Amino acid sequence: MVQVNGNYLKLKAGYLFPEIARRVKAFSEANPEAQVIRLGIGDVTEPLPEACRNAMKAAIDEMSNREGFRGYGPEQGYLWLREAIAKHDFQARGCSITAEEIFVSDGSKCDSANILDILGPDNRIAVTDPVYPVYVDSNVMAGRTGDADDGGQYGGLTYLPINTENGFTAKIPNEPVDLIYLCFPNNPTGAVATKAQLQAWVDYARANSALILFDAAYEAFIQDPELPHSIYEIEGARECAIEFRSFSKNAGFTGTRCALTVVPRGLMGTAANGEAVELWGLWNRRQCTKFNGVSYIVQRGAEAVYFAEGQAQVQALVAFYMENAAIIRRELAAAGLEVYGGEQAPYVWIKTPPGVDSWGFFDLLLGQAHVVGTPGSGFGAAGEGYFRLSAFNSRENVEEAMGRIQGALKG
């Protein structure tokens, strides 16, 4: 009989968001009259920018004749899109990133897991706690951890707690680690990092020959011009960091799928025999073998993000969701809750009421307010006692949800 990958059996439970979906489905079936508002999973609700839609329509028309038809594209992404990304997202901010170092993909979630394909199994791994679950679960699936303890923490991982006591800023480890997962603006807490804070991480990584896996999926939501949008704004980061980005949240591409990973030339790892190996070549080989690229139509849509009209439309989308976040912060604070985040990111991180744990608060909001959020404990042991709400929804739903939550808390 065929054997399964036993590492999957070490996972504590179903992936967080499918588990939420399961509970909501059961509630909705038992309460068919309930109008549930979903502020849990970070999926967008507003239409694609017009510039992107028009570009995709034009690309479809191109595909209607032999002269314009495109089949397989380059696995790394079309050069015209990679050049636009390099110019607008990196070079405009003083980052010396070239088109050659950009790999277009179908999602930063996918890339943050797939990057493990080119990294050895014995690396010591550091993650924040709470943390985006994919960083941990993908390492569990790949056999890079031990079993989970009663608190849900896996052996072999170094956990870096982030909480109100440390201002949601992870402390640099006392011992050397090899892989460091950082996400700023942070999912789930909405916290951000200053240039000085990121410089400390880069200095640590260089001193310990470590690699930073930097998730910048929410960089477009940063409002403070003094905050960095990319790890490559930090001196020395090219020598120790890979960055993941996405078109999902800023341009609404969650349903069309387009993202990118930056692997600088000259970024090195070490083979088992001690030989230095360039990571760019390994990632390029991995993509050429396991990935056929993002569709031509979608890449043309992504390119339109960088047109003048596309930039204005994306900025309007970001502003819309950030106004939602401001409403959530204001109304929940007025209801007496402690709230964090939501100022530089589309997530609001909430301290649950005294005596109510994360899943208890989930059940309270679902059962009494018919509102879905995300229990903080699903992001790690240090997330217990917290709760995440997403600003990705219509204005009408956000305002309605806040009124319902205030009513549930009073009742």
Side-chain angles (χ1 to χ4, degrees):
M1 183 177 291
V2 65
Q3 290 189 344
V4 301
N5 180 349
N7 295 307
Y8 279 66
L9 306 180
K10 295 190 296 187
L11 294 169
K12 285 289 289 182
Y15 181 54
L16 172 62
F17 298 110
E19 172 61 17
I20 290 173
R22 185 191 68 78
R23 294 190 181 209
V24 173
K25 181 174 183 289
F27 173 83
S28 297
E29 289 175 349
N31 303 273
E33 77 291 347
Q35 299 296 312
V36 176
I37 297 176
R38 302 169 189 267
L39 299 178
I41 191 168
D43 196 3
V44 296
T45 59
E46 302 309 295
L48 287 168
E50 182 180 8
C52 300
R53 300 197 306 267
N54 289 339
M56 290 179 181
K57 291 174 184 176
I60 291 173
D61 289 341
E62 285 184 68
M63 299 282 274
S64 68
N65 57 73
R66 286 193 177 91
E67 291 72 25
F69 178 77
R70 303 293 197 287
Y72 291 124
E75 293 88 349
Q76 302 83 2
Y78 285 98
L79 183 59
W80 34 261
L81 175 56
R82 296 158 70 199
E83 288 177 338
I85 293 168
K87 176 182 177 181
H88 293 278
D89 286 344
F90 296 100
Q91 294 165 10
R93 294 190 175 276
C95 307
S96 56
I97 297 299
T98 67
E100 180 190 28
E101 298 169 318
I102 293 168
F103 294 80
V104 177
S105 75
D106 58 351
S108 56
K109 171 183 174 180
C110 308
D111 285 355
S112 67
N114 292 335
I115 199 71
L116 295 177
D117 283 2
I118 69 169
L119 301 173
D122 298 324
N123 288 307
R124 295 160 295 182
I125 302 161
V127 296
T128 60
D129 183 10
V131 66
Y132 182 45
V134 172
Y135 308 154
V136 172
D137 289 358
S138 58
N139 276 285
V140 176
M141 293 170 176
R144 296 163 185 261
T145 74
D147 293 325
D149 61 21
D150 292 340
Q153 294 189 336
Y154 288 92
L157 297 183
T158 297
Y159 288 88
L160 310 172
I162 51 177
N163 47 46
T164 53
E165 286 72 26
N166 58 25
F168 299 103
T169 301
K171 181 181 178 182
I172 291 177
N174 294 322
E175 71 279 1
V177 296
D178 302 306
L179 290 180
I180 304 159
Y181 287 84
L182 295 179
C183 175
F184 291 109
N186 185 254
N187 179 15
T189 69
V192 291
T194 65
K195 289 183 178 180
Q197 289 167 335
L198 289 185
Q199 186 68 66
W201 279 108
V202 167
D203 293 345
Y204 171 88
R206 294 175 69 191
N208 291 278
S209 299
L211 176 66
I212 296 172
L213 301 177
F214 190 78
D215 189 344
Y218 300 96
E219 59 79 28
F221 295 87
I222 294 173
Q223 307 296 299
D224 186 343
E226 297 301 313
L227 292 172
H229 287 242
S230 169
I231 190 73
Y232 302 117
E233 294 180 52
I234 309 305
E235 183 179 355
R238 283 184 56 91
E239 302 170 24
C240 63
I242 289 173
E243 181 166 308
F244 308 102
R245 288 202 181 197
S246 175
F247 293 94
S248 286
K249 308 304 170 65
N250 64 329
F253 274 53
T254 54
T256 46
R257 312 306 303 146
C258 196
L260 61 118
T261 290
V262 182
V263 184
R265 295 306 301 255
L267 176 61
M268 309 300 288
T270 305
N273 63 3
E275 178 185 356
V277 179
E278 188 179 42
L279 297 184
W280 184 95
L282 299 183
W283 184 244
N284 187 58
R285 183 68 170 84
R286 189 266 173 205
Q287 293 299 84
C288 290
T289 300
K290 291 189 173 185
F291 186 57
N292 267 339
V294 175
S295 80
Y296 172 75
I297 295 165
V298 169
Q299 290 193 60
R300 280 299 187 194
E303 181 192 27
V305 166
Y306 301 103
F307 298 168
E309 61 271 30
Q311 289 282 281
Q313 291 158 14
V314 166
Q315 289 169 10
L317 276 178
V318 169
F320 175 83
Y321 290 126
M322 290 307 296
E323 179 60 25
N324 281 351
I327 292 169
I328 295 171
R329 279 183 57 89
R330 182 184 68 238
E331 297 303 316
L332 294 187
L337 295 174
E338 293 182 32
V339 295
Y340 307 91
E343 294 177 311
Q344 314 289 338
Y347 296 121
V348 178
W349 190 239
I350 306 155
K351 189 80 172 68
T352 60
V356 182
D357 65 15
S358 294
W359 279 106
F361 197 58
F362 176 91
D363 291 336
L364 185 153
L365 293 192
L366 179 60
Q368 298 187 29
H370 305 164
V371 172
V372 177
T374 310
S377 59
F379 296 101
E384 180 54 77
Y386 293 91
F387 198 80
R388 193 193 76 175
L389 287 181
S390 165
F392 293 120
N393 215 304
S394 69
R395 184 63 44 77
E396 179 183 8
N397 278 350
V398 167
E399 292 176 341
E400 172 69 18
M402 293 306 101
R404 292 186 193 179
I405 291 174
Q406 288 178 333
L409 293 175
K410 290 177 182 177

